[in-house]
Amino acid sequence: MSKIDEIRAEMVAAMKNKDKDRKETLSMLLAALKNKAIDKRADLTEAEEFEVIKKEMKQTKETMDLAPVDRTDIREQCQARLAVLAEFAPKEMSPEEIRGVITEVLKNLGLEQPTGKDKGRIMKELMPKVKGQADGALVNKIVGEMLA
């Protein structure tokens, strides 16, 4: 079952339960997924679906961060929306799992004592392996720690 079908089923359930906020969030996500599929002119892969979900989550977080402090209604709405989106988002890798992948990449590259100069090579090899499963900023931070 594709994410679009899964989200559509959840949206119908939300409508039956008269959960307006959940229905609106799922409707927004469904529209984003359908638009991406239309742009591609083909069905989305699982990775592309996760990419759209992550993009929606990022936009919602930015909206929450940019909302004035006294606008608690906006912040609460964004929190509720993020909770719904998180149900469909891929599981993020833990820092320990990321370190394991980095160690594997270092072995593949034959680097026992990597330096800052090697960071580009490491990241080039590493990012395709963790794409969609880990936040790039977190990966970059962990690589930096391991090089220091």
Side-chain angles (χ1 to χ4, degrees), residues 16-87:
K16 287 179 180 177
N17 295 333
K18 302 204 184 324
D19 188 349
K20 183 181 174 199
D21 294 334
R22 181 174 174 83
K23 184 246 170 211
E24 286 177 1
T25 301
L26 292 171
S27 177
M28 174 197 67
L29 181 57
L30 188 60
L33 287 166
K34 284 183 176 180
N35 286 337
K36 179 78 172 179
I38 289 169
D39 290 345
K40 185 183 174 193
R41 293 192 166 114
D43 290 339
L44 299 177
T45 63
E46 188 174 354
E48 290 168 332
E49 290 172 340
F50 286 146
E51 191 178 296
V52 171
I53 295 168
K54 283 183 166 276
K55 181 181 175 188
E56 291 296 322
M57 290 181 76
K58 183 179 178 185
Q59 288 176 341
T60 303
K61 285 177 186 174
E62 287 173 357
T63 301
M64 189 170 66
D65 292 343
L66 294 173
V69 179
D70 60 336
R71 294 295 307 267
T72 56
D73 59 325
I74 294 173
R75 291 178 179 273
E76 288 170 4
Q77 183 182 20
C78 288
Q79 286 287 2
R81 189 171 281 175
L82 283 171
V84 173
L85 292 172
E87 294 175 29

Side-chain angles (χ1 to χ4, degrees), residues 84-140:
V84 173
L85 292 172
E87 294 175 29
F88 300 98
K91 180 187 165 291
E92 291 281 322
M93 292 177 81
S94 70
E96 292 77 32
E97 291 172 318
I98 294 171
R99 282 187 180 85
V101 175
I102 293 170
T103 304
E104 180 184 316
V105 167
L106 291 175
K107 284 181 189 172
N108 291 347
L109 293 174
L111 299 172
E112 291 180 23
Q113 295 293 325
T115 63
K117 292 178 182 178
D118 298 320
K119 188 173 185 177
R121 283 179 45 208
I122 295 167
M123 293 298 281
K124 184 177 180 182
E125 184 85 16
L126 175 65
M127 288 311 289
K129 294 183 180 192
V130 298
K131 184 176 173 136
Q133 299 173 5
D135 180 41
L138 178 62
V139 172
N140 190 27

